[in-house]
Amino acid sequence: MTLRFILAGILWLAGLHGAEAGAWPRGKGNHFAFAALRGIGSEDGSLTPSFSYYHEYGLTDRLTLSADLGGAISGFEKTIIALSMPVPLPEFLGLKASMDLGYGEIDGQQVMRPGLSIGRGFAQPEGWASVDMVAEIFPDLLLVDWKVDMTLGMTARSGHKYYLQVQSGQQMGDPFFSRVEASVAWRLRDGLYLDVGAAAGLVSTDPYRVKLGVWREF
């Protein structure tokens, strides 16, 4: 409860009113918000709902504050606040990178979440590729979960975005899992998108998932 109160206060101070850090900084004063409802499928065909909310705010041109609420690698609910900053790379590589450090709770347990994101943008066709890696470290339990998401996306002339993501990871004590998700983000207006996707399980995970989300940049 205390952590959620602190989170609400930080977001209010950041300029939110009721309202990923990736490889690219958000930029001073800029927001990115994403809310999604997922249905997690089971072998018997039933769907279990899962809600998530993610928000970034550019504290400076280099420093990004993020809040991550919802499901975790373990499947339990989480509340995590993180700070992200760029990692310098040689310009000739054409890559962007950032590292972040988060702290919060998952299923009532304290957790630290370091992460590293590496990405590259493309001009023709307009798009991007990125790899996002995080570890969820539970100091009281001496457990570590990890996850890696690899994303390839394209922006059409209409402004719609199409992206494919391979999600993989492991909860400590469980087998490695992997799934692939295809998504379309329809541009409703400047900075506002409707995100629809579906995922298929590849290794040691639920057989399918569906997603309906909204994301906004402002």
Side-chain angles (χ1 to χ4, degrees), residues 20-27 54 56 61-64 84-89 94-100 115-121 128-133 149 151:
E20 273 175 323
W24 293 268
R26 184 54 51 186
Y54 180 76
E56 291 181 358
D61 286 336
R62 290 175 53 82
L63 193 62
T64 300
S84 174
M85 66 180 299
V87 175
L89 292 176
L95 299 173
K96 299 291 185 181
S98 70
M99 60 182 299
D100 59 88
L116 176 66
S117 297
I118 302 173
R120 179 170 183 171
W128 74 97
S130 63
V131 179
D132 302 291
M133 300 165 279
D149 291 340
T151 306

Side-chain angles (χ1 to χ4, degrees), residues 174-185:
D174 287 349
F176 167 85
F177 72 83
S178 180
R179 69 179 72 93
V180 59
E181 180 177 88
S183 301
V184 179

Side-chain angles (χ1 to χ4, degrees), residues 8 14 34 41 44 66 78 94 97 106 126 132 161 171 205:
F34 178 70
D44 62 10
S66 65
K78 69 173 180 287
I106 294 178
E126 183 181 353
D132 302 291
K161 299 179 185 292
Q171 180 186 358
T205 186

Side-chain angles (χ1 to χ4, degrees), residues 62-84:
R62 290 175 53 82
L63 193 62
T64 300
L65 171 70
S66 65
D68 191 1
L69 315 176
I73 298 170
S74 61
F76 296 112
E77 295 303 299
K78 69 173 180 287
T79 302
I80 294 176
I81 303 168
L83 287 175
S84 174

